[in-house]
């Protein structure tokens, strides 16, 4: 095995990662999961975000 081989991002993966991160930071990801999985209930928000 060659140890100099490195992992690489696919163009699609590199594009989707910041989109998901933006949804997390905007607190919109739970709504996405609710649409994808109708039985999904979001966990309680940390106290610093609930205010």
């Amino acid at each position: 095995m060659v140890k100099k081989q490195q992992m690489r991002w696919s163009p699609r993966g590199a594009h989707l990662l910041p989109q998901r991160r933006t949804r997390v930071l905007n607190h919109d990801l739970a709504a996405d999961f609710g649409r994808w999985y109708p039985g999904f209930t979001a966990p309680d928000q940390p106290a610093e975000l609930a205010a």
Side-chain angles (χ1 to χ4, degrees):
M1 296 224 173
V2 177
K3 293 195 177 217
K4 293 185 179 183
Q5 247 179 355
Q6 296 183 1
M7 299 285 293
R8 294 184 59 151
W9 286 91
S10 68
R12 183 172 188 265
H15 176 74
L16 292 175
L17 182 66
Q19 288 184 359
R20 279 297 121 199
R21 187 63 184 142
T22 301
R23 303 290 292 171
V24 169
L25 293 174
N26 289 338
H27 308 289
D28 294 331
L29 190 60
D32 290 342
F33 274 97
R35 278 195 326 272
W36 299 334
Y37 306 103
F40 176 79
T41 55
D44 293 331
Q45 291 182 349
E48 61 201 27
L49 297 177

